[in-house]
Amino acid sequence: MVAVSMTLSFSPTTSAATPRRRVSRFSGVSMASANVETVKLTKGLGDLPKVVLTSVHGSEAELYLYGGCVTSWKVASKDLLFVRPDAVFTGQKPISGGIPHCFPQFGPGAIQQHGFARNMNWSIVSSESVEGNPIITLELKDGPYSRSMWDYSFQALYKVALDRNTLSTELKVTNTDEKPFSFTTALHTYFHASVTGASVRGLKGLKTLNKVPDPKNPVEGKEERDVVTFPGFVDCIYLDAPQELQLDNGLGDVITIKNTNWSDAVLWNPHLTMESCYKDFVCVENAKIGQVELKPGESWTAVQHLSLA
C-alpha cells in the first residue's frame, strides 16, 4: 500500500438546515467536524494521515486512517495503549500496536494472517463533538486488494468515541454483495503493562483454546484461575467470554473491558520471541472466533468500551 501524501486546507460550509461546520481536505481525504478543537486531521509518522481526538475532560486518542488503527489513548497524560518499537508507519505493513483490526479473518487461515483490514486505508465518513467529547466514524470498503484474497463486496463502519476516562468503539460490517459471506474478526488490543504484574479477572470457568503448542491446532481446556497472569508465552482463546473483564496492567491502573456481541476473548504475550518489548505490554482482545454469516443486506455490529477505573 502507498502512503497518502497530505496538503492541509480548511474551507467553511453552511446550510440553512445545519449549523455552521468546517471541513478539512487533503489528497482526497475529507473530514466534517462539529468542533475542530476536538477532532483534528493531521500528519502522523511516515506522513500517514492521523486523527487526533481530544475530550474537553483532557483525555486524548490518536488513530491512523491506514488500518483504521487507534494507536494512543491517554487519560491524565498516561498512554494506556502500547505501540511496539518495531512498528513501521510506511503504509506497507500493519501498524504493530494500539488496536489493530483482524478482519475478515482472525489468525491464520485461507488468506493472510489476520486478514486485510489492517493493511488498507480507511476513509472518514463523519465526525462530531457531543458535549465536548469527540466521535469519529471511519469506513472500509472492498477494492482490488481485498478482492484478490476475499472476493466479496462489503462495508465496514468503525465508530470511535472518547470521553473522560472511556474509549469506545463500534464495528458494523454489512454485506453489500449479492451472495452470502462469512468472516471472523477481533480487535487486537495492545495495553501498556508490566507483564510480570499484569493480570485479568473474569475468565474463570471458560472453555479455552490454547494456541501455544500449535496455533493451527489449539488444545482445549478450562480456565480454573480467578486471576489469569502472564508467566511466559501466552496465546489463548476464551470462548463465550463475559461482557466485562478487568485488566490490572501492573502499573497501578485497572481497566474495565466491556463489550456487546464480541463473544470471545484472547490473551496474548509473545514473551522471549519479542525480547525488545514483551515486558511492556499484554494483549487482551475482544474477538468473534466463530464464523459470522451474513446474507446480502445483513449487518453485524459489536461494541467495545475501555474504561479506566
Side-chain angles (χ1 to χ4, degrees):
M1 303 293 291
V2 179
V4 179
S5 60
M6 176 171 66
T7 55
L8 187 61
S9 63
F10 291 96
S11 59
T13 62
T14 60
S15 72
T18 60
R20 184 178 180 88
R21 305 170 75 87
R22 299 179 75 192
V23 179
S24 62
R25 305 178 185 277
F26 61 87
S27 300
V29 179
S30 64
M31 177 177 71
S33 173
N35 185 346
V36 294
E37 295 304 315
T38 61
V39 182
K40 288 187 176 181
L41 185 60
T42 185
K43 182 185 294 187
L45 296 174
D47 289 347
L48 294 177
K50 180 179 73 173
V51 178
V52 179
L53 308 178
T54 306
S55 169
V56 69
H57 302 293
S59 55
E60 185 176 286
E62 297 181 356
L63 65 151
Y64 281 77
L65 299 189
Y66 179 73
C69 185
V70 178
T71 54
S72 177
W73 169 42
K74 294 180 181 177
V75 178
S77 300
K78 179 186 288 189
D79 205 333
L80 299 167
L81 299 181
F82 181 81
V83 175
R84 286 166 25 189
D86 62 344
V88 296
F89 292 79
T90 61
Q92 301 295 322
K93 61 181 295 187
I95 296 172
S96 300
I99 312 179
H101 289 274
C102 302
F103 175 84
Q105 176 183 287
F106 171 76
I111 64 176
Q112 67 186 20
Q113 176 86 357
H114 291 325
F116 50 71
R118 60 184 189 154
N119 293 77
M120 296 180 67
N121 289 313
W122 295 58
S123 60
I124 298 171
V125 173
S126 65
S127 61
E128 60 183 316
S129 180
V130 178
E131 298 182 351
N133 294 310
I135 303 171
I136 190 164
T137 301
L138 306 184
E139 179 184 52
L140 182 68
K141 290 184 175 181
D142 55 285
Y145 177 68
S146 69
R147 282 184 170 272
S148 69
M149 60 190 91
W150 197 66
D151 193 18
Y152 297 101
S153 175
F154 72 93
Q155 178 198 52
L157 293 175
Y158 188 53
K159 182 184 292 186
V160 181
L162 181 67
D163 206 330
R164 181 190 303 273
N165 65 342
T166 302
L167 178 71
S168 301
T169 64
E170 178 188 278
L171 177 64
K172 180 180 180 181
V173 178
T174 301
N175 182 345
T176 57
D177 211 314
E178 296 180 351
K179 56 185 181 292
F181 63 62
S182 60
F183 64 90
T184 58
T185 183
L187 295 178
H188 193 2
T189 309
Y190 289 70
F191 290 98
H192 193 243
S194 170
V195 72
T196 56
S199 62
V200 180
R201 293 180 178 271
L203 297 169
K204 185 176 181 180
L206 298 186
K207 180 180 178 180
T208 60
L209 299 175
N210 185 2
K211 299 172 68 177
V212 172
D214 182 356
K216 295 183 179 181
N217 295 287
V219 177
E220 293 187 12
K222 182 180 179 180
E223 182 56 71
E224 303 290 351
R225 294 169 291 178
D226 289 309
V227 180
V228 179
T229 57
F230 297 81
F233 182 38
V234 174
D235 190 359
C236 190
I237 296 169
Y238 291 81
L239 300 177
D240 298 321
Q243 291 187 325
E244 181 174 323
L245 302 175
Q246 288 81 39
L247 166 66
D248 184 331
N249 67 9
L251 299 171
D253 307 303
V254 176
I255 299 168
T256 299
I257 304 168
K258 295 183 179 180
N259 86 85
T260 301
N261 216 27
W262 288 108
S263 58
D264 312 297
V266 181
L267 302 190
W268 180 71
N269 181 271
H271 198 52
L272 298 179
T273 62
M274 204 172 289
E275 288 190 81
S276 65
C277 62
Y278 82 91
K279 295 179 181 179
D280 299 321
F281 77 91
V282 297
C283 286
V284 184
E285 311 169 34
N286 277 317
K288 187 70 175 179
I289 303 302
Q291 295 283 340
V292 177
E293 298 183 359
L294 294 181
K295 297 177 182 178
E298 289 185 337
S299 298
W300 173 88
T301 303
V303 177
Q304 171 176 275
H305 298 289
L306 306 179
S307 299
L308 182 64

